[in-house]
Amino acid sequence: MRVWIVFLLCLAGRAMAAPTEEESVVEELVTEDPVVEEPELGVNPVQVEIGEFDEAIEVDEDVAAENPCLEYHCKKGKVCEVDESNSPMCVCQDPSSCAAAEGEFEHICGTDNKTYDTSCHFFATKCTLDGTKKGHKLHLDYIGPCKYIEPCLDNELGEFPLRMRDWLKNVLVTLYERDEDNNLLTEKQKLRVQKIYENEKRLQAGDHSLDLLAHDFEKNYNMYIFPVHWQFGQLDQHPVDGYLTHTELAPLRAPLIPMEHCTTRFFEQCDSDNDKYIALEEWANCFGIKEQDVDKDLII
Ligand SMILES: [Ca+2]
Ligand SMILES: [Ca+2]
């Protein structure tokens, strides 16, 4: 299996618009910056084909005098209208007013196992269900049309973190290599990644067998500690509190599900205390990081 990665996924921290609602949002993953070419990182679990999943900022104080809606932003699924007193307000968007999808990659599979034409259709539909039980339970499940996802077997579940860890490390190294012009990493992050990058024992990106990945994790365990923390920090943004909500995890999870059938099960079992949040300790444990190496100060 050879999968191409758009590593913009991992720039999520940089690109995320501030979402205002806990549920239903995959944050914006694609900035308007020129897109960096896709690096080939070998066998990796992630491919990202992201459209626009940004949650617009709910309210902008700067309301234009003439058309109060001009500068008034509504979150995804809502549009601005003025009331009798010419004050702007957000109302649910009519799904039929959404532009049609330009391709399958814009489709969204909801947790109701229904394919929505675009994220606009999805969020508009969800908005119309606000306040209902059905609406409360409806989330964006993954990107692409709904399809049969085979059950994840126990032995397959164990393979998932092997590929994921390797991928995270490779993404960081690639970001480091390209950092000169792009400022993709902070100075502190660069120092951390430099150590990995310059380590000659580092397993180069490639199409590695699971045995080799497992062996490398054992042998070069230290190289994996930072990448696992880094990804957590990229996702833990709204709010930055050491816990990942379903929504915060979505930028990683939603593009992954159609390609890695163990994604859902993996992240479900990550939440070992079943409180619906993935704490840093739970996250690190999922990726095989030892308890004594979990360090919130590594999220820099
Ligand atoms: Ca959080
Ligand atoms: Ca938990």
Side-chain angles (χ1 to χ4, degrees), residues 22 232 235-245 248 277-278:
E22 174 76 9
F232 186 89
L235 297 170
D236 180 22
Q237 299 278 334
H238 307 294
V240 183
D241 59 359
Y243 294 91
L244 299 183
T245 61
E248 285 177 307
Y277 298 93
I278 299 179

Side-chain angles (χ1 to χ4, degrees), residues 62-134:
D62 254 356
V63 178
E66 286 182 15
N67 181 354
C69 274
L70 273 182
E71 306 254 330
Y72 196 79
H73 298 283
C74 297
K75 70 189 183 78
K76 206 83 173 161
K78 293 191 173 190
V79 286
C80 178
E81 278 182 10
V82 290
D83 62 11
E84 314 84 61
S85 55
N86 206 34
S87 304
M89 57 178 191
C90 293
V91 297
C92 286
Q93 181 172 9
D94 178 356
S96 64
S97 71
C98 293
E102 287 176 19
E104 250 199 11
F105 63 91
E106 283 194 66
H107 295 343
I108 291 295
C109 183
T111 45
D112 54 356
N113 205 29
K114 263 177 65 181
T115 299
Y116 294 82
D117 203 36
T118 64
S119 61
C120 174
H121 292 86
F122 173 81
F123 287 115
T125 306
K126 182 168 164 65
C127 184
T128 63
L129 295 170
D130 263 358
T132 66
K133 205 174 162 192
K134 201 175 160 194

Side-chain angles (χ1 to χ4, degrees), residues 247-262:
T247 304
E248 285 177 307
L249 190 58
L252 180 67
R253 189 180 167 277
L256 204 56
I257 292 175
M259 277 160 300
E260 286 274 341
H261 64 285
C262 284

Side-chain angles (χ1 to χ4, degrees), residues 50-271:
I50 303 283
E52 287 178 23
F53 297 98
D54 60 309
E55 175 84 338
I57 296 150
E58 177 118 38
V59 178
D60 194 316
E61 302 290 331
D62 254 356
V63 178
E66 286 182 15
N67 181 354
C69 274
L70 273 182
E71 306 254 330
Y72 196 79
H73 298 283
C74 297
K75 70 189 183 78
K76 206 83 173 161
K78 293 191 173 190
V79 286
C80 178
E81 278 182 10
V82 290
D83 62 11
E84 314 84 61
S85 55
N86 206 34
S87 304
M89 57 178 191
C90 293
V91 297
C92 286
Q93 181 172 9
D94 178 356
S96 64
S97 71
C98 293
E102 287 176 19
E104 250 199 11
F105 63 91
E106 283 194 66
H107 295 343
I108 291 295
C109 183
T111 45
D112 54 356
N113 205 29
K114 263 177 65 181
T115 299
Y116 294 82
D117 203 36
T118 64
S119 61
C120 174
H121 292 86
F122 173 81
F123 287 115
T125 306
K126 182 168 164 65
C127 184
T128 63
L129 295 170
D130 263 358
T132 66
K133 205 174 162 192
K134 201 175 160 194
H136 187 68
K137 276 165 59 183
L138 179 61
H139 297 284
L140 188 157
D141 197 13
Y142 53 89
I143 290 162
C146 296
K147 61 178 192 179
Y148 173 72
I149 294 181
E150 44 185 307
C152 170
L153 305 176
D154 291 348
N155 62 319
E156 295 172 324
L157 187 62
E159 298 169 0
F160 184 92
L162 289 173
R163 290 195 290 269
M164 188 78 196
R165 272 190 308 245
D166 187 53
W167 176 73
L168 289 175
K169 175 169 63 70
N170 293 335
V171 167
L172 270 179
V173 167
T174 307
L175 289 179
Y176 178 81
E177 286 172 330
R178 296 179 179 217
D179 209 310
E180 265 179 48
D181 328 310
N182 297 308
N183 262 334
L184 303 171
L185 298 171
T186 64
E187 290 307 315
K188 280 181 178 172
Q189 289 171 336
K190 270 189 234 175
L191 286 175
R192 291 272 172 187
V193 184
Q194 188 180 8
K195 283 192 199 152
I196 301 171
Y197 178 74
E198 289 174 352
N199 193 325
E200 33 189 66
K201 290 185 198 146
R202 173 168 60 88
L203 182 64
Q204 301 291 321
D207 207 346
H208 304 304
S209 68
L210 293 167
D211 283 347
L212 181 56
L213 291 175
H215 178 247
D216 189 64
F217 181 61
E218 210 171 289
K219 209 178 72 183
N220 293 317
Y221 166 77
N222 284 334
M223 277 190 231
Y224 292 92
I225 298 174
F226 179 65
V228 168
H229 283 78
W230 171 78
Q231 178 66 82
F232 186 89
Q234 294 294 299
L235 297 170
D236 180 22
Q237 299 278 334
H238 307 294
V240 183
D241 59 359
Y243 294 91
L244 299 183
T245 61
H246 190 273
T247 304
E248 285 177 307
L249 190 58
L252 180 67
R253 189 180 167 277
L256 204 56
I257 292 175
M259 277 160 300
E260 286 274 341
H261 64 285
C262 284
T263 306
T264 300
R265 194 173 158 197
F266 177 78
F267 288 120
E268 269 171 15
Q269 54 99 46
C270 252
D271 175 21

